[in-house]
Amino acid sequence: MQKIKSLMTRQGLRSPQESVNDLSPVESFRIPTKEEFRELHEEPTDPQAQQEIINSIEEVYFSNDSFDIVKYELERLPPVLSLQELEEYRDKLKQQQAAVSKKVADLILEKQPAYVEELERVTSLQTGLQLAAVICTNGRRHLNIAKEGFTQTSLGLLANQRKRQLLIGLLKSLRTIKTLQRTDVRLSEMLEEEDYPGAIQLCLECQKAASTFKHYSCISELNSKLQDTLEQIEEQLDVALSKICKNFDINHYTKVQQAYRLLGKTQTAMDQLHMHFTQAIHNTVFQVVLGYVELCAGNTDTKFQKLQYKDLCTHITSDSYIPCLADLCKALWEVMLSYYRTMQWHENHDQDEAAVVSSDGNNVMGTEENSFDRNYVKKKLEHGLSRIWQDVQLKVKTYLLGTDLSNFKYDDFIFVLDVISRLMQVGEEFCGSKSEVLQESIRKQSVNYFKTYHRTRLEELRMFLENETWELCPVKSSFNILQLHEFKFMEQSRSPSVSPSKQPASAISATLTLFEQYCNGGNPFEIQADNKDDETEDVLASNGYESDEQEKGAYQEYDSDSDVPEELKRDYVDEQTGDAPIKSVSRETLRSRKRSDYNLNKVNAPILTNTTLNVIRLVGKYMQMMNILKPIAFDVIHFMSQLFDYYLYAVYTFFGRNDTPIPTSLLCASNREQHSDRQFELTGLGLSSSRLRTTLNRIQESLIDLEVSADPSGTLTAAEERKEKVPSPHLSHLVVLTSGNSLYGLAERVVATESLVFLAEQFEFLQPHLDAVMPAAKKPFLQQFYSQTVSTASELRKPVYWIVAAKAIDYEQMLLLMANVKWDVKEIMSQHNVYVDALLKEFEEFNRRLNEVSKRVRIPLPVSNILWEHCIRLANRTLVEGYANVKKCSNEGRALMQLDFQQFLMKLEKLTDIRPIPDKEFVETYIKAYYLTENDMERWIKEHREYSTKQLTNLVNVCLGSHINKKARQKLLAAIDDIDRPKR
């Protein structure tokens, strides 16, 4: 087949389709010639036949232009070619071609008039176009002439001028664009200079200019860059605002506020400021504590930085606790001071703005908006006060509770309390807060510390008391507890004790708050370290005396007036009251009085021991703690009362108990019942009041651990109670109370008892201060302590000195001497009996030994009076007991009794100035009772119950037994039994 096609190609045969495609457009529309039409007409003219021929053409010939007819026909040839068949098939194709050509020719002839008409129009158009070409040529020639003659000369000038103006505007725009593009450098410089208002103003102006030139593509990029710059400025402004929290600077803060106002974000700035203050508090305390923890750890381990603040506080050592606390408070003070100064700035700024608005009433809308902002800022700042203080409290509370302070030294703990007290004062002035969080946390620590501290002090006090030899501690006569360092804090509250040079400063500081004092510099927590002992104490006298001259005079005799101090020559001063009598005292009275107050020429310094001084110092320390932290006032005062209770109980235990048997002859009727009830009441022999006995019982039950039960099965509560108690103290073996030469330890007894009285006086002096800090609900405890304990200190003198009086004079020997006297004499005697002289010799010896003791220790007037009173009372009761032992007695014997007693009184009055003589009526009444009748005796017995049953029975048997009958005697004895029965 390929051979046939190639052969046809060489012969120039083409397919009908190809021949059609090769025709030019003009040729394709060529009109058939006459011959062709004639040939076409010669073909059968039967339309139906032609249509059938056309319809017989295969559909594939009408498919598309790319259809290869030749190839198609060649492919259809049968394998075996037949010439006849080929010719027949060729004829058929020719017929089909002729039918198609005829059909085409018919269609062309049908459209020929329209074709001719269109061809004429084309010819006419061609002619018109040629004419237009001539007109255009002429127009161009004339335009060229106009261009050369007019446009290039006149209009060219105008065009150039217009172009010049456009270029000038463009140049201005370019300069502005250049300036805008250089803005970044200037903004950076202004930010470095911290000129935030200027930077924002410049940035806003640049944004406004950029919006004008936004049609330039470079400006659109610059505008977005300016927006980024503005956001960057806001970030830097926020950083600048955060710096205010630690170090407030007026100029800096003014710039920041102006910048925020330009941005229209005043309220946002205030919200951010509070966030910064909260963050500043957290960061500050964390960094301070972290610094000390890492310093104490001694390594660069970063594990501490990952800890929470609460956990970090537990790593603070006891050595670094106080410096860290001080630095913590200093740092927090700086934050609060910055907030305070921020509020001050806004108050002053609002006042200035209000003044400007009042002078210029324009711009009402702006004024209202500013007023709204000011009110918002004011309320926000006021609300932030309590929030910031609450944050401060919580941070300090966490720090306080992170360490156990129970083992701290007292001065260190007082320093902690002082710092916290100052911090609470700051809170009070900062926002009027009572600092409940701080108070509760420091109260917990204080109670915990104070229990441990007080327990240790009580143990120390017991050790002091058991090692105390009760020697006099030499102090100056002008000694006052306010001279001790522990009581220095009280001088500030006592205006008379403040020196005139210090009063103005204290007055100024009293009127100014801490924020006003330290607003421009300094820190209220820096002065604490300097608040130590600024001067040394000077309360001890040299060798117990204030001058050598007085020391020499201490051992002189009492017979001359040279040993009497000048103040006694001028006026006698009562030691008990300190008041001088209205009238001058006579020389003889002065002589008699000086016998009672032994060693008056020695300086009348307070009588106290080292232990007393130690207790007073402890009281001062307790009051310091109580003054700093008033919420634990009750606990502190309760512990202070225990110090006094223990001292009182120790003095009573050492010197108020009598271990030697008491002669029954010295016991009155009421005393014997006490003797049978309780041993310790025996020591008082009726002289200790029920109030004193109640106080001693209470102390013994509540404070003293008697160690009587060591039962391991005891309850936990009982163990806790025992833990709060202290063992009973024991007297030092160096103190001898059994020697008659020393009047049975009278010097030690005087020092012990009078030091207790002195301690009670100091408690009385401190009562107003304690009452001022005591909670109202607990004041009854304080009143009861003073009325039932402190006031009983002087009452301990009687039982203590009674023991000396009971042993100093041999009353049993006097009873033996009285038993040898005959009382049934028949005539009135003019000479008294020997026992009176013996008794007086005992009193003289007592007086001598009293003088010897007074050379060691000054014996105050109340002490000497009590001693003499006890001795005289015991002597008088011994006389009555001796008279009650008489078996036979006459009226002359009764007169002899009166003579003996009067002689005793006359001589005794020369030895002592006590008036009236104690129990004088007790003896005289008993002697005179011998003269009573039966009826009078019965009434007398009922009225005088102070005498014992034996003494009353002796009156009935001896006095009336000789001249009354047995029935009457029995009646009187029955009356005595009735009196004695209730006592049983």
Side-chain angles (χ1 to χ4, degrees):
M1 184 179 294
Q2 292 296 333
K3 290 181 179 180
I4 296 173
K5 283 188 70 175
S6 60
L7 181 60
M8 292 175 65
T9 302
R10 283 197 303 269
Q11 293 178 353
L13 296 176
R14 296 183 180 179
S15 63
Q17 184 66 34
E18 287 177 346
S19 62
V20 174
N21 290 337
D22 290 342
L23 294 176
S24 64
V26 178
E27 291 175 338
S28 60
F29 292 103
R30 180 177 56 86
I31 301 172
T33 61
K34 294 180 179 179
E35 290 81 4
E36 290 174 347
F37 278 118
R38 188 171 50 252
E39 290 179 359
L40 291 174
H41 283 293
E42 290 178 355
E43 294 296 325
T45 57
D46 186 3
Q48 186 175 359
Q50 287 186 352
Q51 188 61 40
E52 288 178 357
I53 293 173
I54 289 173
N55 292 337
S56 65
I57 298 174
E58 293 183 15
E59 191 68 28
V60 71
Y61 289 101
F62 301 100
S63 57
N64 51 38
D65 295 339
S66 61
F67 179 65
D68 190 352
I69 299 173
V70 176
K71 181 180 179 181
Y72 176 74
E73 292 298 335
L74 290 176
E75 288 176 351
R76 289 185 61 186
L77 291 175
V80 179
L81 298 176
S82 171
L83 182 60
Q84 183 178 356
E85 290 178 358
L86 287 176
E87 287 179 353
E88 289 177 358
Y89 186 66
R90 184 189 62 181
D91 293 339
K92 180 181 179 181
L93 289 177
K94 282 184 177 182
Q95 287 178 0
Q96 292 175 351
Q97 182 181 11
V100 169
S101 297
K102 188 174 190 314
K103 183 70 174 177
V104 171
D106 291 339
L107 291 173
I108 291 173
L109 290 176
E110 184 180 350
K111 300 292 183 181
Q112 185 176 9
Y115 171 76
V116 173
E117 182 181 353
E118 188 64 29
L119 187 61
E120 289 177 354
R121 288 180 59 194
V122 170
T123 304
S124 174
L125 179 61
Q126 185 177 5
T127 304
L129 289 175
Q130 290 175 352
L131 178 61
V134 174
I135 293 172
C136 287
T137 301
N138 292 334
R140 285 179 179 177
R141 187 176 65 253
H142 288 99
L143 284 174
N144 190 31
I145 294 171
K147 175 182 176 182
E148 293 176 358
F150 176 74
T151 305
Q152 290 182 349
T153 55
S154 301
L155 294 180
L157 292 175
L158 294 177
N160 288 336
Q161 178 63 22
R162 180 173 176 274
K163 186 177 181 181
R164 181 174 178 272
Q165 293 296 334
L166 291 174
L167 291 175
I168 290 175
L170 179 61
L171 181 61
K172 185 178 180 181
S173 299
L174 290 174
R175 286 175 178 170
T176 304
I177 293 172
K178 183 179 180 181
T179 304
L180 290 176
Q181 289 183 336
R182 290 183 178 179
T183 304
D184 287 345
V185 179
R186 180 56 186 153
L187 283 174
S188 300
E189 293 176 355
M190 296 177 81
L191 290 177
E192 288 178 3
E193 297 170 0
E194 295 186 346
D195 184 11
Y196 302 108
I200 292 174
Q201 187 72 37
L202 178 60
C203 194
L204 292 176
E205 290 177 357
C206 289
Q207 279 188 326
K208 185 177 180 181
S211 64
T212 306
F213 300 101
K214 62 183 178 180
H215 49 279
Y216 296 107
S217 58
C218 61
I219 292 299
S220 62
E221 297 176 0
L222 179 64
N223 200 7
S224 61
K225 187 175 182 181
L226 285 174
Q227 186 62 34
D228 295 339
T229 304
L230 191 61
E231 292 176 0
Q232 182 183 355
I233 292 175
E234 286 190 36
E235 292 176 1
Q236 292 193 24
L237 195 58
D238 191 57
V239 174
L241 186 64
S242 66
K243 295 179 181 179
I244 298 296
C245 301
K246 290 186 179 179
N247 188 14
F248 183 87
D249 181 77
I250 294 179
N251 296 329
H252 182 76
Y253 188 67
T254 303
K255 290 179 180 179
V256 171
Q257 282 296 322
Q258 288 177 351
Y260 273 111
R261 178 168 291 188
L262 286 173
L263 292 173
K265 296 185 177 181
T266 304
Q267 297 182 15
T268 305
M270 198 49 53
D271 296 337
Q272 288 294 112
L273 182 64
H274 281 81
M275 290 176 58
H276 287 311
F277 269 106
T278 302
Q279 190 66 27
I281 291 172
H282 174 76
N283 293 341
T284 298
V285 296
F286 187 84
Q287 290 302 323
V288 170
V289 176
L290 178 64
Y292 276 92
V293 170
E294 290 182 341
L295 181 66
C296 296
N299 55 37
T300 57
D301 193 355
T302 59
K303 66 176 183 179
F304 296 116
Q305 298 178 359
K306 300 176 183 178
L307 293 178
Q308 294 291 329
Y309 172 71
K310 183 178 180 180
D311 300 328
L312 195 64
C313 290
T314 59
H315 289 79
I316 289 288
T317 62
S318 57
D319 294 336
S320 61
Y321 185 85
I322 290 179
C324 182
L325 176 62
D327 287 348
L328 200 63
C329 291
K330 288 178 186 178
L332 290 172
W333 161 261
E334 295 295 337
V335 175
M336 288 187 286
L337 179 62
S338 295
Y339 195 87
Y340 173 82
R341 296 186 67 187
T342 302
M343 290 192 68
Q344 263 193 336
W345 185 92
H346 280 280
E347 288 178 4
N348 297 334
H349 185 70
D350 290 348
Q351 291 176 0
D352 295 341
E353 275 199 351
V356 171
V357 170
S358 61
S359 61
D360 185 10
N362 297 330
N363 195 4
V364 177
M365 289 295 292
T367 303
E368 290 180 355
E369 185 177 352
N370 290 338
S371 176
F372 178 78
D373 286 343
R374 286 198 301 270
N375 291 333
Y376 178 85
V377 169
K378 183 178 180 181
K379 290 180 180 179
K380 191 76 176 178
L381 286 172
E382 291 174 353
H383 179 67
L385 283 171
S386 57
R387 278 186 54 196
I388 289 176
W389 178 240
Q390 189 69 11
D391 289 343
V392 171
Q393 282 193 94
L394 292 174
K395 296 299 181 184
V396 178
K397 172 191 175 183
T398 303
Y399 181 82
L400 282 175
L401 299 180
T403 304
D404 184 10
L405 307 182
S406 59
N407 296 321
F408 270 39
K409 295 180 181 178
Y410 175 81
D411 291 337
D412 292 340
F413 189 75
I414 285 296
F415 184 82
V416 172
L417 290 186
D418 199 21
V419 170
I420 299 303
S421 176
R422 181 61 62 93
L423 186 62
M424 288 192 287
Q425 182 185 352
V426 169
E428 176 74 24
E429 296 175 359
F430 187 67
C431 61
S433 171
K434 297 301 180 183
S435 306
E436 291 83 359
V437 174
L438 276 181
Q439 285 190 13
E440 180 60 24
S441 58
I442 199 64
R443 191 193 69 80
K444 287 181 181 178
Q445 286 283 33
S446 298
V447 171
N448 181 36
Y449 173 82
F450 206 64
K451 283 183 178 179
T452 305
Y453 179 80
H454 177 64
R455 177 69 189 180
T456 307
R457 300 291 81 77
L458 277 180
E459 291 292 342
E460 287 181 359
L461 180 56
R462 182 170 73 92
M463 182 187 68
F464 273 112
L465 290 170
E466 291 182 346
N467 291 278
E468 179 63 68
T469 57
W470 303 102
E471 295 290 335
L472 190 66
C473 178
V475 294
K476 291 185 175 182
S477 59
S478 61
F479 170 73
N480 188 291
I481 61 171
L482 295 178
Q483 297 168 1
L484 299 174
H485 291 311
E486 288 78 6
F487 292 91
K488 289 293 183 184
F489 71 94
M490 292 178 59
E491 293 184 358
Q492 299 176 358
S493 60
R494 300 174 70 250
S495 55
S497 64
V498 180
S499 62
S501 62
K502 293 182 180 179
Q503 282 180 352
S506 62
I508 292 172
S509 62
T511 56
L512 294 178
T513 65
L514 291 175
F515 287 96
E516 292 170 342
Q517 291 181 52
Y518 299 99
C519 185
N520 297 320
N523 196 302
F525 297 96
E526 290 177 352
I527 63 172
Q528 304 298 323
D530 301 327
N531 200 16
K532 297 290 183 184
D533 298 338
D534 52 353
E535 58 183 12
T536 58
E537 290 179 346
D538 186 18
V539 296
L540 298 180
S542 175
N543 296 325
Y545 306 95
E546 293 189 358
S547 68
D548 293 339
E549 183 178 351
Q550 291 169 338
E551 186 175 354
K552 292 176 183 177
Y555 298 99
Q556 293 177 358
E557 297 296 330
Y558 288 94
D559 294 337
S560 66
D561 288 341
S562 62
D563 59 352
V564 181
E566 287 299 324
E567 62 266 19
L568 290 181
K569 292 180 182 178
R570 293 193 300 270
D571 260 332
Y572 173 70
V573 180
D574 189 351
E575 270 198 32
Q576 289 180 313
T577 63
D579 298 330
I582 299 176
K583 297 182 179 179
S584 299
V585 184
S586 67
R587 193 182 189 87
E588 293 299 324
T589 306
L590 184 60
R591 282 180 178 276
S592 65
R593 287 182 182 273
K594 72 182 178 64
R595 293 192 188 100
S596 297
D597 195 1
Y598 293 86
N599 209 4
L600 277 175
N601 62 328
K602 188 183 288 187
V603 177
N604 292 335
I607 297 177
L608 66 157
T609 66
N610 287 327
T611 303
T612 317
L613 204 58
N614 181 58
V615 173
I616 292 174
R617 289 183 185 276
L618 277 180
V619 169
K621 290 180 177 180
Y622 283 24
M623 289 189 65
Q624 281 184 23
M625 187 175 295
M626 178 177 59
N627 186 62
I628 294 173
L629 196 65
K630 293 180 177 58
I632 66 166
F634 170 71
D635 301 281
V636 176
I637 293 176
H638 175 64
F639 292 145
M640 283 173 57
S641 70
Q642 288 187 348
L643 294 176
F644 187 85
D645 288 346
Y646 196 69
Y647 195 93
L648 171 67
Y649 187 82
V651 173
Y652 159 73
T653 305
F654 295 165
F655 305 105
R657 287 177 173 173
N658 184 28
D659 298 330
T660 59
I662 304 298
T664 56
S665 61
L666 302 183
L667 299 178
C668 66
S670 60
N671 292 128
R672 280 194 293 275
E673 282 74 30
Q674 296 174 5
H675 182 273
S676 61
D677 291 340
R678 297 185 64 178
Q679 179 61 31
F680 83 89
E681 291 183 0
L682 165 68
T683 60
L685 296 171
L687 299 174
S688 59
S689 65
S690 61
R691 183 174 61 167
L692 178 59
R693 292 195 298 272
T694 303
T695 299
L696 292 171
N697 284 333
R698 177 188 59 80
I699 295 173
Q700 182 170 291
E701 293 173 1
S702 63
L703 187 61
I704 306 303
D705 184 7
L706 299 177
E707 299 180 349
V708 289
S709 101
D711 184 10
S713 63
T715 62
L716 182 62
T717 306
E720 288 295 326
E721 289 180 357
R722 285 198 62 190
K723 189 177 179 181
E724 298 295 328
K725 294 183 178 182
V726 189
S728 180
H730 302 287
L731 183 63
S732 172
H733 66 279
L734 299 176
V735 180
V736 180
L737 302 179
T738 57
S739 174
N741 294 330
S742 64
L743 270 180
Y744 305 96
L746 178 60
E748 289 81 1
R749 293 176 190 272
V750 169
V751 171
T753 310
E754 298 312 304
S755 66
L756 174 65
V757 173
F758 176 79
L759 185 61
E761 290 173 354
Q762 306 317 306
F763 268 83
E764 293 284 358
F765 168 73
L766 297 173
Q767 183 178 6
H769 300 277
L770 301 180
D771 189 69
V773 297
M774 190 68 151
K778 301 293 184 179
K779 285 190 177 181
F781 166 81
L782 186 65
Q783 296 169 358
Q784 185 178 12
F785 168 66
Y786 272 93
S787 63
Q788 296 186 7
T789 305
V790 176
S791 61
T792 60
S794 59
E795 296 179 10
L796 201 61
R797 285 169 170 166
K798 287 187 176 182
V800 170
Y801 297 132
W802 190 93
I803 297 173
V804 176
K807 297 179 179 181
I809 295 176
D810 192 352
Y811 302 101
E812 289 290 333
Q813 179 64 28
M814 190 172 65
L815 285 175
L816 294 175
L817 291 175
M818 291 180 70
N820 296 327
V821 177
K822 286 188 66 177
W823 299 103
D824 55 346
V825 294
K826 301 300 181 182
E827 58 183 13
I828 297 176
M829 307 296 290
S830 60
Q831 180 64 32
H832 61 271
N833 285 303
V834 180
Y835 75 88
V836 176
D837 294 329
L839 182 59
L840 289 172
K841 281 185 180 180
E842 289 281 341
F843 273 100
E844 288 174 357
E845 178 64 17
F846 171 71
N847 191 30
R848 185 191 65 77
R849 285 187 289 178
L850 207 57
N851 278 314
E852 290 296 327
V853 172
S854 68
K855 293 178 181 179
R856 289 179 53 199
V857 177
R858 177 176 65 86
I859 300 179
L861 180 60
V863 175
S864 62
N865 286 343
I866 288 177
L867 283 168
W868 278 100
E869 180 185 348
H870 281 334
C871 289
I872 295 170
R873 285 186 185 277
L874 289 171
N876 287 335
R877 292 177 183 275
T878 304
L879 288 174
V880 171
E881 186 67 20
Y883 296 150
N885 291 332
V886 175
K887 303 300 181 182
K888 293 181 180 181
C889 183
S890 62
N891 290 335
E892 290 78 9
R894 297 305 173 195
L896 182 58
M897 290 180 184
Q898 287 184 328
L899 176 63
D900 290 345
F901 186 61
Q902 291 302 321
Q903 179 68 19
F904 171 68
L905 290 179
M906 182 179 66
K907 295 291 185 181
L908 183 63
E909 287 177 350
K910 294 180 181 180
L911 292 175
T912 180
D913 61 340
I914 295 180
R915 301 292 184 275
I917 298 298
D919 281 352
K920 175 183 176 182
E921 294 81 3
F922 184 78
V923 180
E924 291 177 342
T925 303
Y926 189 80
I927 295 174
K928 292 177 181 178
Y930 280 90
Y931 302 103
L932 297 175
T933 62
E934 177 186 343
N935 295 331
D936 293 335
M937 178 62 76
E938 184 177 359
R939 185 175 65 255
W940 187 90
I941 288 173
K942 293 179 180 179
E943 292 175 353
H944 294 79
R945 300 189 178 190
E946 66 270 17
Y947 298 100
S948 66
T949 304
K950 173 192 172 184
Q951 293 165 352
L952 295 175
T953 303
N954 180 268
L955 278 177
V956 173
N957 291 330
V958 177
C959 170
L960 302 178
S962 58
H963 57 272
I964 62 173
N965 55 32
K966 185 177 181 180
K967 183 178 180 181
R969 187 186 303 123
Q970 292 296 331
K971 180 181 179 182
L972 291 174
L973 292 176
I976 294 172
D977 288 338
D978 291 339
I979 295 172
D980 191 48
R981 189 175 294 112
K983 299 177 183 177
R984 298 174 187 170

